[in-house]
């Protein structure tokens, strides 16, 4: 059972947006998906409550803020949305379960430096087989800011899986408990293109 963890110590960087859309992608492939929310704000859990019954099912994984329970049975794929400030024993517990970690990162110098220590800690606690990837959030991949982000991440030996633009599509879909993968591709064609690298990495 692959477990994908979405983590960054900063708030407001797009963890819940990534978590819900990763879960939506797995569900669109016919997998039995469970979405856990260890963040105090419970954004992903709120989103699940908005999800219409006609959409592909995504189940809730009840997890505590300080400790994860046993992985749920009857599920093929798990996505975990984590809180800001993830560290210490909680980080070790999360990484013990994880197969892949996605770190959303905005291309500002402040976000980059705030995330540097966290990325170093991820590398220290990395177990054999754990994959770590970065997703640039609210960024145009053709800009100097994106180049600086790419240089920073590559200096750490981590892959940039993709760059997601700043668009209202995520906001409008989230308000209805939906993802890019729940609507007609023609409605979100440009955004689905930006997800291609992320999806290949998730499937690898």
């Amino acid at each position: 059972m692959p477990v994908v963890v979405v983590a960054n110590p900063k708030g407001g960087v797009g963890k819940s947006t990534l978590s819900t859309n990763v879960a939506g992608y797995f569900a669109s492939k016919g997998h039995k998906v469970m979405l856990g929310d260890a963040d105090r704000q419970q954004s992903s859990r709120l989103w699940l409550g908005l999800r219409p019954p006609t959409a592909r099912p995504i189940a809730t994984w009840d997890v505590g803020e300080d400790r994860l329970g046993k992985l749920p049975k009857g599920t093929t794929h798990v996505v975990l949305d984590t809180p800001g400030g993830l560290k210490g024993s909680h980080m070790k517990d999360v990484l013990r379960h994880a197969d892949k970690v996605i770190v959303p990162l905005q291309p500002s110098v402040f976000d980059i430096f705030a995330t540097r220590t966290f990325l170093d800690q991820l590398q220290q606690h990395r177990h054999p087989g754990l994959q770590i990837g970065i997703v640039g959030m609210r960024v145009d991949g053709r800009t100097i800011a994106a180049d600086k982000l790419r240089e920073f991440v590559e200096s750490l030996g981590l892959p940039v899986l993709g760059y997601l633009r700043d668009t209202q599509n995520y906001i409008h879909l989230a308000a209805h408990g939906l993802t890019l993968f729940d609507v007609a591709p023609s409605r979100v064609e440009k955004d689905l293109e930006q997800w291609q690298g992320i999806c290949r990495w998730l499937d690898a």
Side-chain angles (χ1 to χ4, degrees), residues 38 40 63-68 83 89-91 93-94:
R40 184 177 302 171
V63 295
E65 189 177 325
D66 297 321
R67 188 158 184 82
L68 304 180
S89 61
H90 193 195
M91 175 188 281
D93 191 33
V94 166

Side-chain angles (χ1 to χ4, degrees), residues 74-95:
T75 301
T76 62
H77 291 66
V78 174
V79 182
L80 179 62
D81 187 4
T82 61
L86 182 67
K87 59 184 178 181
S89 61
H90 193 195
M91 175 188 281
K92 291 180 181 178
D93 191 33
V94 166
L95 294 182

